[in-house]
Amino acid sequence: MKVFTFSFNDNKGGAAISAYRLYILLRNSGIDIKMYVARKFTNDDNVIGPTNNLTKLIQLFKQKFCQLVIYILFNKENSFISPSLFNSNWHKFINKSNVDIVHLHWVNLEFFSIKDISKINKPIIWTLHDMWAFSGSKHLVYDNTYTTEYKFKLFSNLITKLDYFVWKSKFKNFNSNIIIVAPSNWLANCIKNSLIFKSNPVFVIPNPIDFDSWKLLDKGIERRKLSF
């Protein structure tokens, strides 16, 4: 079995660390796997980042341009927003390959566009690390708007308009063949109740832990050591 894993980073940030740990686990289990990233921090030969300065420059421009526009329009406190509109054409590379499974993780900051994901014709497993994939443009929402169709109002604020257009693009382009993985029951329930992924298979798989570095200890003994 041949697997391509995609994550914005390979080992920096919570989602990236989880993605990298899972990639290592699968590789050590004998899976033929490669990891593709927008920014590479490890020395792992099977993690593939941008190969030339032009590619790096294009990725950086897309990322910084969107961040700047969002900062100007929505202010700093609302800057954790991803329109994901710039096409990267990753789907062309994937569709021409002999890969069996595409495993997506956190692919925002213009690494993948919504249409890029929709044009992949290989089986997709998507591990979600936040709420972006099934909501509007935000990565975290505090209401249940993702359970119903976003409504466009002519005189609504800019962020509501952006939410509507991004959600509408996902609703139109994402299909029910994507297998969704959630690291927690709470996120899985959100996904199952969402209008975008209500028909998709959803599985709960907790983030992996390296038992060579971590082990289970007696809670009572450790609490006494720490004076809890």
Side-chain angles (χ1 to χ4, degrees), residues 9-223:
N9 296 325
D10 54 350
N11 202 14
K12 188 175 181 180
I17 291 172
S18 297
Y20 186 72
R21 283 178 179 170
L22 184 56
Y23 147 78
I24 292 293
L25 178 65
L26 292 173
R27 192 182 69 184
N28 292 342
S29 300
I31 302 296
D32 182 3
I33 185 169
K34 291 185 182 298
M35 187 173 189
Y36 291 88
V37 298
R39 294 191 304 184
K40 181 177 178 178
F41 294 97
T42 66
N43 294 320
D44 192 325
D45 291 336
N46 285 317
V47 175
I48 302 168
T51 55
N52 58 66
N53 290 331
L54 179 59
T55 305
K56 293 179 182 178
L57 185 62
I58 292 172
Q59 173 62 44
L60 184 62
F61 170 78
K62 293 191 297 183
Q63 174 188 338
K64 295 300 182 182
F65 177 80
C66 280
Q67 287 178 318
L68 178 61
V69 171
I70 288 167
Y71 183 90
I72 293 171
L73 293 179
F74 306 122
N75 299 320
K76 187 177 181 180
E77 63 270 21
N78 288 321
S79 61
F80 201 46
I81 295 169
S82 292
S84 295
L85 301 176
F86 280 108
N87 291 333
S88 67
N89 291 322
W90 271 113
H91 65 280
K92 294 181 180 179
F93 166 75
I94 293 168
N95 293 343
K96 289 179 181 178
S97 73
N98 63 347
V99 69
D100 297 299
I101 294 174
V102 175
H103 189 185
L104 302 179
H105 285 271
W106 200 90
V107 290
N108 298 106
L109 286 178
E110 301 305 320
F111 186 32
F112 273 66
S113 72
I114 294 168
K115 287 189 176 181
D116 283 331
I117 296 171
S118 72
K119 291 179 180 178
I120 296 172
N121 62 19
K122 306 283 187 176
I124 299 175
I125 298 173
W126 195 352
T127 297
L128 304 190
H129 299 275
D130 57 32
M131 305 174 77
W132 179 85
F134 56 89
S135 62
S137 60
K138 302 171 188 172
H139 290 261
L140 178 63
V141 295
Y142 296 97
D143 54 34
N144 63 349
T145 50
Y146 58 86
T147 64
T148 58
E149 185 172 355
Y150 277 66
K151 300 297 183 182
F152 176 78
K153 296 179 181 178
L154 184 61
F155 298 106
S156 58
N157 60 37
L158 287 174
I159 196 167
T160 302
K161 289 184 174 71
L162 180 63
D163 267 343
Y164 170 80
F165 286 113
V166 173
W167 182 89
K168 198 71 174 179
S169 180
K170 294 174 189 175
F171 186 73
K172 177 182 177 181
N173 288 289
F174 290 168
N175 60 64
S176 60
N177 295 326
I178 301 175
I179 296 173
I180 306 296
V181 172
S184 70
N185 289 317
W186 172 82
L187 187 58
N189 288 331
C190 293
I191 296 165
K192 291 174 183 177
N193 289 323
S194 71
L195 198 58
I196 289 177
F197 287 140
K198 67 178 183 179
S199 299
N200 293 63
V202 180
F203 297 89
V204 177
I205 303 177
N207 292 325
I209 296 174
D210 183 359
F211 287 110
D212 291 331
S213 302
W214 304 90
K215 63 181 179 180
L216 185 64
L217 299 175
D218 184 276
K219 292 181 181 179
I221 294 174
E222 298 310 312
R223 283 173 178 166

